[in-house]
Amino acid sequence: MNPEWRSRLKKDPGIPNLFPYKDKILHQVEEKKRLKEEEALRRREESRSSNAKTVISGNTTTPDDADVGEDLLDETMEDPAPTDSSNPLAALLASATARAVEYEEVLGSEGDDGAMDSDNSASDIDLEASSIDFSGPHDPSRRAFDKVYKTILSSSDIILYVLDARDPNGTRSRDIEREITAADSGSKRLILVINKVDLVPPPVLKSWLKYLRRYWPTLPLRASNPAPNARTFDHKSLTVKGTSETLLRALKTYAHGKQLKRSTTVGVIGYPNVGKSSVINALASCLGGGGAARARSTACPVGAEAGITTAMREVKLDNKLKLLDSPGIVFPAAPELEVQTSKETKKDEQARLILLNAVPPKQISDPIPAITLLLSRLSTSQASLENLLTHYGIPPLVAGVKGDVTTDFLVQVARKRGRLGKGGVPNLTAAAMTVITDWRDGRIQGWVDAPSVEEEWGTSDQKEVVKQWAEEFRLEGLWGNGGRGGKVDEGGDEVMKE
């Protein structure tokens, strides 16, 4: 390349710095440029929408409609409207739009009829539609999730109902339990799995096991290791490997006892983010086999946020056992919660689901009510509230108007964690999302105590069902072998090692 080469194009020197109106001129130039870009963007959007409507209309054109369209085209070409002189295709687009509207109305009426037919032929249970829309632009709809659930229910011999140890009743639906046990003339089996047991103390877990085993066979499980910096409790013998092997042994015992000519299918259901996929990965990792075991242990994608699983996934453990993973669904509330939720506002129901980790963070529009609910729950125990304040290193809270401490709490958290806006103003929404993330990952300790057993009903038929099913899975002891690692008291309830 010749170093002495010079371009013949003269470079624009621009506006001199000493020119008195330079800033004004530059501002005008930038404004014109911005308006030009907006106009171009608007035209592209209009063109895209008109093309889409034209495609819809073209796909539904009959021979008669085609003749009408040609006549309309001829009329518009011969006698164009005065207002459309700059766009000769405006009349054609208008006619196409009108036909598209008519088609959508016909399609909508047919869709409503089809929906009514499908609802009449569907299962008797009414899967309650959540007040929050969990379906994003690329996620399946709630109707698709319900369809997956019904597919799993009809295909499975055993249903594992995964519950969160911090609030088992909040992630449980007795309507779903009745639907499962009534399907196929009562031939299906149900096991309640309390996951994330390391986030509650041993006495709390023991009371929940005693309570839930009045209704269905129940097993504790640690499906995965806790999140970094999570505040966990030591349950000694309840390890990830040990609890997973217990559950797998119970499933294999049932499959061997039935002597089916096909593999036994186990469906895993539950609320979003209770750890359904982690349960499947934990069971798959128990089979051993080096690299193959590691591949099976990641058979289902997992994540800290809700909504990772969006479709049914089948994982084959061996020739006698296969698992079905499902997306999380907010099932109908438990009977003791239905009266309460009927009186709650939509915002209060959203706050409850946020604390159940059933709402993806991107779908949370207002996290502050969830913090109010969390503080009210933790305030029932002075130790839990002090642990919360110690975790963030903040002083005791000061009640504001009407005894509200949420604002003071979020202001202090925002200052401690640097969630500040312009001028150092605390960003309460960002601080609330920080607290919700810490709650989700177990850095904040909190749980719901089990109801008193004496206050709950328990029929003799229910006790007989639990006893019979426990024998089929050999759940006499905690580890399914008649008492090793745990023993059974006189009332039939297991006593944990502590």
Side-chain angles (χ1 to χ4, degrees):
M1 183 176 179
N2 185 6
E4 298 181 356
W5 179 86
R6 296 290 184 272
S7 175
R8 295 182 180 180
L9 299 177
K10 293 183 179 181
K11 184 178 180 181
D12 184 9
I15 303 175
N17 292 331
L18 298 178
F19 189 74
Y21 303 106
K22 179 178 180 179
D23 294 338
K24 183 177 180 180
I25 294 176
L26 290 177
H27 178 71
Q28 292 176 352
V29 171
E30 291 295 331
E31 185 67 15
K32 290 181 180 180
K33 183 179 179 181
R34 184 184 65 82
L35 293 176
K36 186 177 180 180
E37 292 177 351
E38 291 180 354
E39 179 66 18
L41 180 61
R42 184 183 64 81
R43 290 181 178 179
R44 284 198 297 269
E45 293 295 335
E46 291 180 353
S47 176
R48 187 179 295 110
S49 61
S50 63
N51 290 339
K53 293 178 180 178
T54 303
V55 169
I56 294 175
S57 176
N59 290 338
T60 59
T61 301
T62 61
D64 295 338
D65 292 337
D67 296 338
V68 174
E70 292 176 358
D71 295 338
L72 289 174
L73 180 60
D74 294 337
E75 292 176 2
T76 54
M77 293 299 291
E78 293 173 0
D79 187 19
T83 56
D84 295 332
S85 58
S86 60
N87 188 1
L89 294 179
L92 176 61
L93 293 178
S95 63
T97 302
R99 290 199 301 272
V101 171
E102 294 176 359
Y103 170 74
E104 290 176 355
E105 293 177 354
V106 175
L107 183 62
S109 62
E110 293 178 354
D112 294 338
D113 297 338
M116 293 176 62
D117 295 339
S118 61
D119 292 341
N120 293 333
S121 61
S123 176
D124 293 337
I125 187 171
D126 181 15
L127 287 178
E128 174 185 86
S130 173
S131 59
I132 302 174
D133 182 13
F134 295 101
S135 58
H138 302 291
D139 295 335
S141 64
R142 174 59 190 260
R143 184 180 294 274
F145 282 3
D146 293 345
K147 184 178 180 180
V148 170
Y149 160 73
K150 293 174 183 177
T151 302
I152 290 180
L153 177 59
S154 61
S155 305
S156 303
D157 303 299
I158 307 171
I159 298 292
L160 299 182
Y161 198 163
V162 184
L163 309 176
D164 192 323
R166 292 175 290 182
D167 189 4
N169 263 359
T171 52
R172 176 187 175 207
S173 170
R174 294 186 182 178
D175 288 340
I176 294 296
E177 295 171 4
R178 285 191 288 266
E179 174 72 8
I180 293 172
T181 54
D184 290 347
S185 302
S187 61
K188 298 185 183 298
R189 296 295 180 261
L190 172 65
I191 296 180
L192 301 183
V193 178
I194 303 180
N195 193 22
K196 305 180 182 181
V197 296
D198 54 326
L199 299 181
V200 297
V204 174
L205 176 61
K206 178 182 176 182
S207 63
W208 273 113
L209 287 172
K210 184 177 181 180
Y211 168 76
L212 293 174
R213 283 173 177 170
R214 302 285 181 177
Y215 302 93
W216 310 109
T218 307
L219 283 178
L221 181 68
R222 282 185 63 184
S224 60
N225 293 318
N229 301 323
R231 300 170 63 87
T232 59
F233 295 89
D234 184 14
H235 290 269
K236 297 181 180 179
S237 56
L238 296 181
T239 61
V240 176
K241 185 174 184 294
T243 55
S244 302
E245 290 178 347
T246 300
L247 181 57
L248 181 61
R249 186 182 302 113
L251 298 177
K252 283 183 170 293
T253 299
Y254 179 85
H256 179 74
K258 288 300 179 180
Q259 295 292 333
L260 299 177
K261 295 183 179 180
R262 55 174 177 82
S263 59
T264 301
T265 304
V266 181
V268 184
I269 65 172
Y271 267 58
N273 206 34
V274 294
K276 299 180 295 299
S277 299
S278 298
V279 169
I280 293 179
N281 291 339
L283 293 175
S285 64
C286 295
L287 298 179
R294 287 192 296 270
R296 285 193 297 268
S297 64
T298 57
C300 297
V302 297
E305 299 180 2
I308 300 298
T309 303
T310 58
M312 185 175 68
R313 183 184 298 267
E314 179 179 318
V315 178
K316 185 176 181 180
L317 296 184
D318 53 28
N319 293 332
K320 291 295 184 181
L321 205 61
K322 67 178 179 180
L323 308 176
L324 298 179
D325 193 10
S326 65
I329 300 178
V330 179
F331 296 113
E336 61 269 19
L337 298 177
E338 288 176 353
V339 177
Q340 177 183 0
T341 55
S342 63
K343 298 179 181 179
E344 289 178 337
T345 63
K346 189 175 181 180
K347 183 180 296 185
D348 295 333
E349 176 65 10
Q350 183 182 18
R352 185 184 74 87
L353 294 176
I354 289 175
L355 291 188
L356 291 177
N357 306 315
V359 185
K362 295 181 180 179
Q363 303 288 341
I364 300 176
S365 57
D366 185 10
I368 296 179
I371 305 303
T372 303
L373 180 59
L374 177 62
L375 291 176
S376 65
R377 290 183 179 180
L378 297 181
S379 298
T380 58
S381 172
Q382 186 63 27
S384 299
L385 186 59
E386 290 178 357
N387 289 336
L388 175 67
L389 301 181
T390 303
H391 174 70
Y392 291 105
I394 59 180
L397 303 178
V398 178
V401 181
K402 297 181 180 180
D404 177 37
V405 297
T406 305
T407 301
D408 181 54
F409 172 71
L410 292 178
V411 167
Q412 296 191 55
V413 171
R415 290 173 178 170
K416 282 289 184 178
R417 295 297 178 90
R419 303 298 188 265
L420 306 175
K422 293 183 179 180
V425 178
N427 189 335
L428 301 187
T429 301
M433 290 302 300
T434 299
V435 176
I436 290 174
T437 301
D438 291 342
W439 166 259
R440 179 196 68 195
D441 295 339
R443 301 185 185 97
I444 299 176
Q445 291 182 344
W447 53 84
V448 176
D449 293 326
S452 175
V453 176
E454 288 74 13
E455 297 177 358
E456 293 292 330
W457 57 270
T459 63
S460 58
D461 294 338
Q462 187 73 21
K463 295 178 181 178
E464 186 64 27
V465 169
V466 174
K467 182 179 179 180
Q468 178 184 349
W469 289 10
E471 292 176 354
E472 293 178 352
F473 291 98
R474 294 186 184 177
L475 299 180
E476 296 86 356
L478 177 63
W479 303 108
N481 56 6
R484 186 179 66 189
K487 60 182 179 180
V488 181
D489 62 11
E490 296 179 356
D493 296 318
E494 180 187 55
V495 179
M496 294 176 51
K497 285 181 60 179
E498 298 183 5

